[in-house]
Amino acid sequence: MLEIPESFNLAKQLNQTVKNKVIKNVKAAQSPHKFAFYFNDDPDNYNALLSGKKIEKIEPIGGQVEITAENIRILFGDGVNARYLPAGEKIPEKHQLLMEFDDNSCIVCTVQMYGVLHAFTHGENDNFYYHVAKTKPSPLSKDFDISYFEKIISDTKPTLSVKALLATEQRIPGFGNGILQDILFISRINPKTKIKFLDSSDIKRLFQNIKEILLKMAENGGRDTEKDLFGNYGNYKTVLSAKTYKEPCPVCGTAITKQAYLGGNIYFCPVCQPLKG
């Protein structure tokens, strides 16, 4: 899934790979997928909309990637797997979006669970998630400082859990269940702990780790649970994830707990991350 580190890395790789190329041909929805979401549910219009457009820049916005192609915007979000294929490389038979360029290279996108593949004229997209991601600062930016973080906390119901604070309601766009695990483990905070039980040292420690760990994830090409534009896993080695949770806690050796919670699995050490309250 695209979360902050992966969208950062994907945008960087796209800028290095397809910037200044001209789109020659587009195929959208060639392989029907119930949960591949196209702008205005109109994938048949994508080729006419995008053909002949030059890629000018690519930017990460939260857990999404926005491609500027002159007056058109292309948006990848959520569960979109984008791959770059050089000219002559075999194109997979099944895909939800294929963009071919003037040098015969291409970007092929597939969706496993669900994913956003929007193409639209600049200014047309009034989607809530898109605009929130465009307007709120990324934790990777200097605008996301301790005062901003404390304001997020003060504006949130104190009876909500820390996971709900960080990974729901788009309080921090692109902050999902995946990146949550290591940040809370290193912060020694249980994901189910209610906000009202966090003291000032908890909040300061959590803020510092959000900034530092997300930067490490981004600078290392994303997490080792997610693939990049070339099909390679990221170089950030997750401490707690689906890959590692069967191993004992790297700090105290206790068995890691896995639980379904708020729409996804959480992993935590019951000793290093005791539930407060």
Side-chain angles (χ1 to χ4, degrees):
M1 299 293 287
L2 286 176
E3 296 186 30
I4 292 168
E6 287 71 42
S7 65
F8 176 91
N9 187 57
L10 181 58
K12 178 181 177 181
Q13 291 180 323
L14 285 167
N15 271 306
Q16 295 170 341
T17 307
V18 303
K19 184 178 178 180
N20 295 322
K21 292 188 179 185
V22 175
I23 301 170
K24 181 175 68 173
N25 184 50
V26 175
K27 296 177 183 178
Q30 176 171 300
S31 303
H33 192 296
K34 186 177 181 180
F35 298 109
F37 302 109
Y38 301 93
F39 190 71
N40 289 336
D41 293 323
D42 189 18
D44 292 340
N45 185 49
Y46 277 31
N47 187 53
L49 188 69
L50 293 168
S51 291
K53 299 296 184 181
K54 182 179 180 179
I55 303 293
E56 295 178 343
K57 64 178 179 178
I58 302 96
E59 298 175 296
I61 51 168
Q64 306 173 70
V65 172
E66 184 177 53
I67 301 172
T68 296
E70 300 180 26
N71 66 320
I72 304 299
R73 302 294 181 268
I74 306 160
L75 193 68
F76 298 158
D78 301 315
V80 171
N81 299 304
R83 299 288 180 267
Y84 175 75
L85 300 179
E89 190 161 327
K90 185 178 179 181
I91 296 171
E93 291 183 8
K94 294 184 178 182
H95 50 74
Q96 280 67 57
L97 181 67
L98 175 68
M99 289 194 300
E100 297 178 284
F101 299 104
D102 52 349
D103 64 352
N104 295 319
S105 66
C106 67
I107 296 293
V108 60
C109 298
T110 57
V111 174
Q112 292 182 337
M113 295 176 62
Y114 62 91
V116 170
L117 295 158
H118 282 178
F120 53 93
T121 302
H122 178 53
E124 279 190 348
N125 195 339
D126 60 359
N127 179 271
F128 168 77
Y129 296 100
Y130 173 67
H131 283 281
V132 167
K134 293 278 283 186
T135 55
K136 289 189 175 182
S138 167
L140 297 174
S141 73
K142 64 180 181 180
D143 292 329
F144 193 103
D145 56 19
I146 186 63
S147 297
Y148 180 82
F149 185 57
E150 288 173 341
K151 181 69 163 54
I152 292 175
I153 295 174
S154 66
D155 288 345
T156 303
K157 290 171 60 175
T159 53
L160 290 183
S161 68
V162 177
K163 175 178 175 176
L165 166 73
L166 297 176
T168 67
E169 300 298 326
Q170 296 296 298
R171 295 180 183 88
I172 309 175
F175 200 116
N177 189 63
I179 60 178
L180 180 84
Q181 314 300 331
D182 280 16
I183 290 171
L184 292 186
F185 175 75
I186 295 169
S187 300
R188 304 190 299 281
I189 296 173
N190 190 291
K192 288 186 171 184
T193 293
K194 296 186 185 304
I195 296 169
K196 64 182 180 180
F197 295 121
L198 297 179
D199 59 31
S200 59
S201 63
D202 292 328
I203 293 171
K204 182 178 179 181
R205 189 168 64 253
L206 180 57
F207 169 76
Q208 290 175 335
N209 284 323
I210 287 172
K211 299 287 285 188
E212 293 175 8
I213 296 169
L214 282 182
L215 183 59
K216 286 181 182 178
M217 290 178 174
E219 289 181 339
N220 281 279
R223 294 165 286 155
D224 61 358
T225 56
E226 306 297 326
K227 291 184 178 181
D228 65 9
L229 185 64
F230 306 104
N232 301 313
Y233 285 105
N235 291 319
Y236 173 86
K237 303 300 181 184
T238 50
V239 181
L240 294 186
S241 68
K243 278 190 171 184
T244 67
Y245 81 92
K246 293 182 180 179
E247 301 169 6
C249 172
V251 174
C252 71
T254 301
I256 294 297
T257 298
K258 173 186 176 182
Q259 291 181 352
Y261 182 62
L262 295 180
N265 288 323
I266 52 173
Y267 311 101
F268 60 91
C269 173
V271 175
C272 295
Q273 296 167 269
L275 183 64
K276 279 191 171 185

